[in-house]
Amino acid sequence: MRNEILRMERVTYIEDEVVKLKDFNLQIYQGEVMGLLTVTSHGKSSVLKILARNLPLYDGYVYYGGEKVNTWKDSRRTANRLSIIQEKSSLADNLNIADNIFVLRPGFRQWVIHSRILNRQLEPFFKDIGLDIPTDKEVAELSAFERIVVEILRAVIMGYRLIVLDEVGALVSNHELEKLHAIIRHYADKGFSFLYVCSHLEEIVSICDRCALFSNGRILKVMGLEEMQHDPPVTYMSEYNDMVRFHAKKREADHEEKEILFQWDGYGESHADSFHFQVHKGECIAVQILDAGAMEEMRQILTGDLLPEKGQIRLRGKKSRICGNQGIAVVQERATKTMIFPELDYMNNLCICLAEKVPSIWHDHRLRNSIFREYASVLGEEVFYMPVENLSEKQKYQLVYTRILLQKPEILFCIQPFMGADLVHRMYIWSMLEKFLDKGISVVILSLNLSDSLAMADRLLILDKGGRGGELQREEFSGIMPPLPWSHSYPAIRKQPEGNR
């Protein structure tokens, strides 16, 4: 008989008079990697909060480790002995790995900390998973992959029965994801249980034993591995599938040789100064940066936090800069949080990119009324009268991407644009990027993990710390190893024999 680690039974949870979960049911067994495939993110954070803190339920029961820990009658509001690993680290940046794992552990009562002893105790755990990370390394110096591994080790050493991984695939490269999956499987074989929260079926299939399809606060279906592989729930992603196929056909039909619009020639400091690539007019390229430090440097350069003295960028052959250049636009990662200004109203948020091109935008009421008349029918008249923090997630994405369309750039850089977005919002981001391409605007998608960006790209550049890695055309994408979302939509993959994939 299988040992049950977690059971959430008929859980209904209401927060601020909004139903977040309705008749939610989930079971996880010892040694199992259970997937939670999020079609919509509504209610996902509630699941994690209930698991972590046993918040009061409107209805239902929660059992953990064979014990009833939460009911609609009696909520203890106590923390469960489990670990939730997310984008935001739960480690202390100013401490090293050993101190985070041992010293911050509940019950640690030594007055004198013997670092050598703690390091020796930790080394066998790294050896067990085949990684060589210095145990005295400070957490602030760790890559995202190393930090996730350290959080897993801390949970293992503390004896937690359940480890929750929330969208970690978006934080690491494909190669690192393979290593992470091997570590998860290693500890699952030792009896630890995992809940793997992810919005990509292909990624879940590559690691999970079972998968629960989650949408709008409910579990729609639970699938075993065989069903996930051979009879996936294609209805939930059919509309996105159609978008991918339509885009692919449209891009394949366009074989016209385009002029070089943009060049990046060693523009950076310690990482990006080795990068050299060019972008043609109207094309979409995915740039996978395999080094987390290089990705961070690129982000700082594109957002204006870093102004390198080395190298240069060229727009239409002329040496240019990024900040203040109306021909170059940037969408930051998690755009609905990083590119919305709550102190400004909707109209000012919308027009902020026009300020340099049209300085009179702030006081020219006729111009602002013209913008209102043109976009109210597209965005909805009501949003212009709402505080921006009250907008829905989709309305925030609308605001960000419409603002950039108003700027009319020649090239758009997107920093991991699909990161943190559920299926519904990824579809909307896709549709907006499609609008830029239809207008002849080049799109460059920067990412650690290829995610949805590969399906949209005409070309893939792979760059490591030394600026090497190669270039692939769309017809060569079939040579990339899974898990890749929407890989079944690439014509080259569908035509290849199974043994050559």
Side-chain angles (χ1 to χ4, degrees):
M1 185 176 177
R2 302 177 72 184
N3 184 22
E4 184 183 77
I5 294 298
L6 173 75
R7 174 157 42 110
M8 299 179 72
E9 184 178 300
R10 296 187 296 103
V11 169
T12 297
Y13 174 69
I14 299 175
E15 185 178 295
D16 296 329
E17 301 183 356
V18 176
V19 177
K20 298 290 188 178
L21 301 174
K22 178 69 173 177
D23 292 330
F24 181 90
N25 295 279
L26 182 67
Q27 279 181 296
I28 302 176
Y29 297 99
Q30 184 176 2
E32 177 179 45
V33 183
M34 181 70 181
L36 188 67
L37 181 60
T38 53
V39 180
T40 65
S41 58
H42 177 82
K44 186 194 80 169
S45 62
S46 299
V47 174
L48 303 185
K49 287 190 289 188
I50 290 170
L51 287 178
R53 301 196 299 274
N54 288 316
L55 299 179
L57 306 177
Y58 181 81
D59 196 10
Y61 305 85
V62 178
Y63 300 83
Y64 183 59
E67 179 187 357
K68 187 187 291 183
V69 295
N70 198 358
T71 78
W72 65 275
K73 294 180 181 178
D74 178 29
S75 177
R76 302 181 184 180
R77 293 179 183 252
T78 55
N80 290 318
R81 285 181 52 79
L82 56 82
S83 176
I84 298 178
I85 301 174
Q86 300 174 296
E87 179 184 6
K88 185 177 180 181
S89 174
S90 63
L91 303 175
D93 283 351
N94 59 333
L95 297 179
N96 64 30
I97 295 173
D99 288 346
N100 265 280
I101 290 178
F102 293 112
V103 177
L104 297 184
R105 181 176 58 184
F108 185 88
R109 291 185 171 85
Q110 295 183 25
W111 292 102
V112 179
I113 299 172
H114 300 282
S115 297
R116 288 185 181 178
I117 296 175
L118 296 182
N119 290 337
R120 282 202 303 269
Q121 289 177 333
L122 188 54
E123 284 171 1
F125 288 93
F126 281 109
K127 187 176 181 181
D128 189 37
I129 58 176
L131 289 182
D132 183 19
I133 303 175
T135 55
D136 58 354
K137 189 175 183 180
E138 286 197 359
V139 166
E141 300 173 355
L142 298 177
S143 68
F145 169 72
E146 292 172 333
R147 190 262 300 170
I148 293 168
V149 171
V150 170
E151 292 200 58
I152 291 175
L153 286 182
R154 183 175 65 174
V156 166
I157 291 170
M158 294 180 73
Y160 289 165
R161 297 184 178 97
L162 178 63
I163 301 171
V164 181
L165 298 160
D166 181 20
E167 299 285 356
V168 294
L171 306 176
V172 299
S173 69
N174 291 72
H175 177 62
E176 290 172 331
L177 186 61
E178 289 180 18
K179 292 196 288 186
L180 181 60
H181 284 181
I183 293 168
I184 293 169
R185 182 50 59 191
H186 172 78
Y187 283 116
D189 291 342
K190 288 179 177 288
F192 291 90
S193 303
F194 293 84
L195 177 60
Y196 195 93
V197 184
C198 179
S199 54
H200 288 120
L201 177 64
E202 289 83 353
E203 186 177 328
I204 280 186
V205 169
S206 69
I207 181 60
C208 296
D209 303 302
R210 293 188 302 139
C211 169
L213 192 64
F214 177 73
S215 179
N216 292 319
R218 289 176 178 265
I219 297 295
L220 304 181
K221 185 178 185 180
V222 176
M223 300 170 287
L225 181 59
E226 186 173 344
E227 184 178 2
M228 287 190 284
Q229 290 175 327
H230 303 295
D231 188 24
V234 293
T235 52
Y236 93 94
M237 58 184 183
S238 59
E239 189 176 348
Y240 204 160
N241 258 332
D242 292 341
M243 291 174 66
V244 173
R245 294 180 190 277
F246 178 76
H247 172 83
K249 289 181 180 178
K250 186 166 60 174
R251 303 301 286 182
E252 287 168 8
D254 184 9
H255 297 295
E256 183 183 345
E257 186 71 23
K258 301 291 178 64
E259 63 179 295
I260 294 175
L261 174 73
F262 178 88
Q263 294 165 285
W264 187 293
D265 293 321
Y267 189 58
E269 288 196 346
S270 58
H271 297 282
D273 60 339
S274 61
F275 292 168
H276 298 271
F277 62 89
Q278 58 191 28
V279 184
H280 295 87
K281 179 175 172 56
E283 82 166 331
C284 177
I285 67 170
V287 181
Q288 185 184 22
I289 302 175
L290 301 180
D291 180 72
M295 183 69 185
E296 175 60 19
E297 184 171 309
M298 287 284 282
R299 186 197 66 77
Q300 291 183 22
I301 293 171
L302 289 171
T303 56
D305 295 329
L306 180 64
L307 297 175
E309 295 183 2
K310 299 179 185 177
Q312 62 184 5
I313 58 169
R314 290 183 175 274
L315 183 65
R316 293 195 177 278
K318 296 181 179 180
K319 187 176 179 180
S320 304
R321 56 194 177 99
I322 294 173
C323 289
N325 191 328
Q326 288 293 304
I328 302 175
V330 178
V331 171
Q332 300 178 34
E333 60 189 3
R334 299 195 180 277
T336 58
K337 295 179 175 62
T338 57
M339 297 185 68
I340 300 290
F341 305 98
E343 67 275 11
L344 302 179
D345 63 18
Y346 191 94
M347 177 62 82
N348 286 333
N349 264 280
L350 183 64
C351 296
I352 199 166
C353 287
L354 288 176
E356 190 163 330
K357 184 185 291 186
V358 189
S360 62
I361 189 69
W362 302 120
H363 53 77
D364 190 332
H365 296 293
R366 287 181 300 177
L367 179 57
R368 290 159 71 89
N369 287 337
S370 175
I371 292 173
F372 174 82
R373 288 192 300 271
E374 182 177 354
Y375 286 95
S377 60
V378 177
L379 304 172
E381 187 174 326
E382 70 281 357
V383 298
F384 287 87
Y385 305 104
M386 293 171 61
V388 291
E389 60 265 30
N390 293 346
L391 298 172
S392 69
E393 194 75 358
K394 180 180 177 180
Q395 288 170 334
K396 289 178 180 178
Y397 278 119
Q398 280 182 322
L399 173 54
V400 169
Y401 283 95
T402 305
R403 172 201 300 165
I404 294 173
L405 279 172
L406 273 170
Q407 181 183 333
K408 296 181 179 179
E410 294 188 79
I411 184 169
L412 170 65
F413 285 89
C414 298
I415 306 171
Q416 306 201 97
F418 300 103
M419 186 177 184
D422 61 24
L423 180 70
V424 172
H425 294 119
R426 293 203 314 271
M427 288 174 61
Y428 183 74
I429 294 168
W430 180 290
S431 68
M432 291 303 296
L433 293 179
E434 197 78 79
K435 287 184 179 180
F436 285 91
L437 293 172
D438 288 344
K439 291 179 179 293
I441 298 170
S442 303
V443 174
V444 179
I445 303 175
L446 304 174
S447 63
L448 284 166
N449 189 298
L450 292 174
S451 190
D452 301 75
S453 57
L454 190 66
M456 173 159 270
D458 304 311
R459 188 160 52 102
L460 169 66
L461 300 180
I462 304 173
L463 301 175
D464 62 14
K465 188 175 181 179
R468 300 173 300 275
E471 175 181 330
L472 294 174
Q473 302 296 323
R474 188 176 183 84
E475 57 269 21
E476 300 174 290
F477 289 176
S478 57
I480 302 172
M481 293 297 291
L484 285 177
W486 320 111
S487 57
H488 56 280
S489 298
Y490 304 147
I493 292 180
R494 293 202 303 276
K495 294 174 184 177
Q496 273 199 312
E498 186 73 26
N500 293 337
R501 291 182 190 178

